Amino acid sequence: MVNFEQLHLIPRLLDALTAEGYTTPTPIQEQAIPVILEGKDLFGIAQTGTGKTAAFALPIIQLLQNKGVHETSGHRAIKTLICTPTRELAIQIGESFAAYGKHCHLRHTVIFGGVGQNPQVATLRRGVDILIATPGRLLDLMQQGFVHLQHLEIFVLDEADRMLDMGFIHDIRRIVAKIPVKRQTLFFSATLPNDIVALAHTLLHNPVRIEVTPPATTVDMIQQSVYYVSKEDKKLLLTHLLKDQQLTSVLVFSRTKHGADKIVKELLSKNIQAQAIHGNKSQNARQRALSAFKQGQIRVLVATDIAARGIDIDELSHVVNYDLPEVAETYVHRIGRTGRAGLSGVAFSFCDHADKVYLRDIHRLIKKELPVVSDHPFVLNQAYSAPIPPSTPSHHRPAPPAAANPVKRKWFGGPNRSR
Ligand code: AMP
């Protein structure tokens, strides 16, 4: 197993990594850092949670630091641009650059929409080496003449698939049209639909392709279980589970925004501190909820997939799928919010009658069946979990539900929780 020294990182970065408590590079870091340090283009297939931010941030800082770009003629020009789809991701990437680059003399800033532009413009005027931006605000400030990218050397497109899902493709093309053709490009996507492959092809030059497959590893490391419960009883089951104080920071996934608000209302009525983040909330409200959650002021954050994608919370103890996702891959993305970077995590999934078809798809994707918890007060169909009298001939026994594999099991507070 390699360590960070063997990746030829400079002592200033190694010191910062020690301060962060990182001892071993993650697979994407191990593979991507040498490639980026060599100046090559990269096509990285990796999702959030794999350590991909450090995989690009560390070598970028090192390249810029070694070139002494910040010392050029007293005037700083943007040498690296990182485009990312959401404000939350942009802020997190900014935090990573601050942490890893704390012993270096580079300046970075983060720009995104939904807030006033003046502070962002003021920072840009003072000069930055590294710009982290969401596409809309970036284009806006470029058009107003506040962002100049003619000296750009490294371009990072983060979460490219998400960018396309969010309709940013035209913005991306307009941004790319304004940056130097001769540059190093790092392209990251969690999934590989055809339009992503096509986009990567237009942006990258002889890229090294690196694929890390967190789904299998993530899935294996996370303690998962399913609770059969009726739609009406889900809220009761959630408050029941939350009686366990081991559920310290819980991310609850709701299929709809309206559903997320209803869950929060229910929890607040039971004196459980909770807030929702979804598309109908303003950027500021979302950011406030996220910060309160990260700081432990609220115990439960209820989110829709769109809002939660990519949010990075180190101390997340549990993920609850209040509704199962309609797309099985989303399940893996959701539970990957816990069990980050080698830590174990816990994920509970609620399954009502209508959810069973989604559960079947999840089982197919992860190639195993989730253990069923049947010792809770709101079991959906008693016929399936009630003990069968030994005298009943086997052919008279009720058939178990196709996807179920009833195992009496209580995950929460289980012996494997390491956090
Ligand atoms: P990312 O995929 O970039 O969102 O990173 C996921 C999480 O892993 C973040 O909370 C990072 O702080 C953490 N992390 C990244 N690299 C390492 C590492 N080598 N060791 C431990 N934690 C890490």
Side-chain angles (χ1 to χ4, degrees):
M1 199 181 276
V2 296
N3 55 34
F4 284 110
E5 282 90 348
Q6 288 163 306
L7 296 178
H8 304 293
L9 291 177
I10 53 177
R12 291 167 196 240
L13 288 174
L14 295 176
D15 289 347
L17 290 172
T18 309
E20 286 299 297
Y22 299 177
T23 50
T24 320
T26 66
I28 182 102
Q29 291 163 4
E30 185 180 332
Q31 294 173 66
I33 290 173
V35 169
I36 300 173
L37 285 177
E38 276 180 47
K40 291 182 181 153
D41 278 10
L42 177 80
F43 188 3
I45 302 134
Q47 65 179 72
T48 302
T50 54
K52 78 174 154 66
T53 313
F56 66 76
L58 291 166
I60 286 175
I61 296 171
Q62 179 152 332
L63 287 172
L64 298 191
Q65 178 72 24
N66 283 352
K67 280 186 186 163
V69 291
H70 48 288
E71 284 148 13
T72 48
S73 66
H75 175 72
R76 284 173 196 255
I78 297 167
K79 298 284 178 170
T80 294
L81 169 66
I82 296 140
C83 267
T84 193
T86 67
R87 169 189 169 137
E88 286 83 2
L89 281 166
I91 292 172
Q92 278 163 22
I93 295 170
E95 287 168 356
S96 296
F97 272 93
Y100 310 144
K102 68 179 178 185
H103 303 303
C104 300
H105 304 292
L106 299 163
R107 279 198 218 149
H108 73 273
T109 197
V110 181
I111 61 173
F112 44 76
V115 293
Q117 69 169 46
N118 291 346
Q120 298 177 355
V121 170
T123 313
L124 287 166
R125 281 219 171 96
R126 286 194 292 274
V128 296
D129 306 299
I130 299 159
L131 179 63
I132 300 143
T134 55
R137 174 58 59 93
L138 173 62
L139 261 182
D140 205 1
L141 294 186
M142 283 166 72
Q143 277 155 2
Q144 294 178 55
F146 294 122
V147 175
H148 303 281
L149 297 173
Q150 62 269 36
H151 298 293
L152 196 75
E153 296 182 353
I154 306 175
F155 173 55
V156 182
L157 192 65
D158 185 37
E159 307 244 339
D161 49 353
R162 182 98 193 88
M163 293 268 196
L164 264 51
D165 287 352
M166 291 174 73
F168 284 140
I169 183 69
H170 298 299
D171 288 356
I172 296 296
R173 290 198 197 287
R174 284 158 70 196
I175 293 162
V176 170
K178 293 269 164 36
I179 62 178
V181 176
K182 192 172 169 301
R183 59 168 194 260
Q184 183 177 10
T185 306
L186 315 176
F187 184 106
F188 291 90
S189 183
T191 56
L192 277 188
N194 291 341
D195 48 359
I196 283 293
V197 178
L199 178 66
H201 195 71
T202 63
L203 297 181
L204 295 164
H205 179 69
N206 287 339
V208 175
R209 181 180 156 130
I210 294 176
E211 186 163 4
V212 293
T213 45
T217 29
T218 312
V219 165
D220 287 345
M221 272 175 348
I222 296 167
Q223 297 178 356
Q224 303 155 70
S225 51
V226 61
Y227 291 72
Y228 286 105
V229 58
S230 73
K231 195 170 163 26
E232 299 70 41
D233 284 346
K234 283 183 176 181
K235 55 180 187 295
L236 300 174
L237 178 59
L238 182 61
T239 40
H240 171 74
L241 292 175
L242 284 166
K243 283 183 194 150
D244 184 333
Q245 293 305 320
Q246 301 234 22
L247 282 78
T248 49
S249 55
V250 186
L251 182 58
V252 175
F253 282 95
S254 157
R255 199 173 293 145
T256 65
K257 301 171 198 168
H258 177 63
D261 288 334
K262 270 173 60 180
I263 297 168
V264 167
K265 223 169 140 191
E266 173 71 20
L267 292 175
L268 291 177
S269 77
K270 300 269 164 37
N271 281 327
I272 299 170
Q273 287 310 309
Q275 281 186 39
I277 53 168
H278 54 61
N280 285 0
K281 302 263 176 184
S282 71
Q283 292 272 32
N284 280 333
R286 281 202 263 168
Q287 199 54 39
R288 268 200 310 274
L290 195 58
S291 313
F293 185 62
K294 282 187 174 186
Q295 286 159 19
Q297 291 156 5
I298 53 173
R299 193 171 157 214
V300 183
L301 191 67
V302 186
T304 55
D305 289 303
I306 297 264
R309 174 101 187 241
I311 61 172
D312 174 20
I313 305 153
D314 285 344
E315 295 302 318
L316 194 61
S317 73
H318 290 68
V319 163
V320 176
N321 291 306
Y322 193 91
D323 302 306
L324 282 178
E326 292 170 8
V327 176
E329 281 81 5
T330 305
Y331 173 80
V332 177
H333 285 297
R334 285 184 181 182
I335 68 166
R337 306 298 98 224
T338 178
R340 285 292 180 91
L343 298 165
S344 65
V346 184
F348 300 142
S349 294
F350 295 178
C351 180
D352 65 21
H353 279 299
D355 289 326
K356 282 182 183 168
V357 27
Y358 307 130
L359 183 63
R360 195 197 54 209
D361 291 347
I362 291 167
H363 286 157
R364 268 196 207 133
L365 177 76
I366 65 172
K367 298 193 176 68
K368 65 176 180 188
E369 295 200 350
L370 299 178
V372 177
V373 179
S374 44
D375 58 347
H376 67 87
F378 310 103
V379 174
L380 176 62
N381 191 336
Q382 296 299 338
Y384 295 144
S385 54
I388 298 159
S391 58
T392 314
S394 63
H395 58 277
H396 287 151
R397 290 181 194 173
N405 174 21
V407 180
K408 274 211 169 193
R409 215 152 185 174
K410 242 188 182 175
W411 282 124
F412 51 86
N416 293 334
R417 293 287 305 130
S418 64
R419 283 181 290 160

